[in-house]
Amino acid sequence: MDPMAEAQRMAMLAAMQSVTNIPGVTIGAPAAAPGAAAGALTVASTDPNAPNPATRRAREIYVGNLQGALDGPLLRELFNSVLAPFCPDPATNPPIIECKLDSTGRFCFLETRTEALAAHLLDLDKMEVGGRPLKIGRPKGYEEQYGKMMTTQKLNMAQTFAAQLSGAPTNVVQ
């Protein structure tokens, strides 16, 4: 990119940042976002408690066998109170970020703040609520998609690291 275009882009970034003034949001260059198009602008959260979007599948939990009388806010409150001991500050950063309740009210999907909180929820499988044992588990397709992706990423990182150590080219599979 030529120096003139770069200077214009930086001036535009500064102007956008001064106009935006959204607490916890920074407008920045693509260096903060791997894979972004050259010259593209990105919006990144500066909130240290914001969950990582890349781990969303690992933080999502299925809860089934619900009573029809339970609604989203009530379920969220229930699971926030159960998971509160595992959070440093559950009042300002509740463990449950989102509760998507099915229109029939028979099941929901919960998004937790961290992968560890999701693992704690899995331990509550068969917990009785309103005389019914809840079915708590990973959503369908979790293992196939997220697990495989993580394995592939780890393999790529290991191959790249080995190549850097030896100074030889690597055969990283994408």
Side-chain angles (χ1 to χ4, degrees):
M1 182 177 284
D2 69 81
M4 181 76 145
E6 181 65 20
Q8 288 176 336
R9 188 163 97 27
M10 295 308 287
M12 188 170 71
L13 279 173
M16 288 177 70
Q17 185 64 48
S18 67
V19 171
T20 305
N21 291 331
I22 300 172
V25 173
T26 301
I27 297 178
L41 298 178
T42 60
V43 177
S45 174
T46 57
D47 180 5
N49 297 312
N52 182 353
T55 63
R56 182 179 179 135
R57 292 291 292 172
R59 295 181 289 107
E60 194 173 51
I61 298 293
Y62 164 85
V63 180
N65 199 27
L66 297 172
Q67 288 184 328
L70 297 173
D71 63 355
L74 185 61
L75 286 167
R76 191 174 179 161
E77 184 180 332
L78 168 72
F79 287 108
N80 275 333
S81 64
V82 169
L83 293 174
F86 303 105
C87 283
D89 189 12
T92 57
N93 294 306
I96 303 299
I97 296 171
E98 186 174 21
C99 178
K100 295 180 190 172
L101 186 64
D102 175 53
S103 60
T104 64
R106 295 170 57 193
F107 65 91
C108 73
F109 292 96
L110 300 173
E111 182 183 350
T112 62
R113 190 161 296 283
T114 66
E115 293 176 57
L117 290 171
H120 286 301
L121 271 181
L122 292 173
D123 293 337
L124 299 176
D125 188 32
K126 308 294 184 219
M127 176 177 83
E128 201 168 295
V129 174
R132 299 174 88 166
L134 298 181
K135 295 179 183 176
I136 300 176
R138 296 284 186 187
K140 286 184 181 176
Y142 164 75
E143 291 297 331
E144 296 82 26
Q145 293 175 3
Y146 186 75
K148 182 177 179 183
M149 180 181 71
M150 290 301 293
T151 303
T152 304
Q153 286 176 342
K154 288 178 184 175
L155 178 61
N156 289 345
M157 287 174 45
Q159 288 177 337
T160 303
F161 181 69
Q164 288 174 348
L165 285 177
S166 67
T170 182
N171 197 12
V172 176
V173 179
Q174 295 291 337

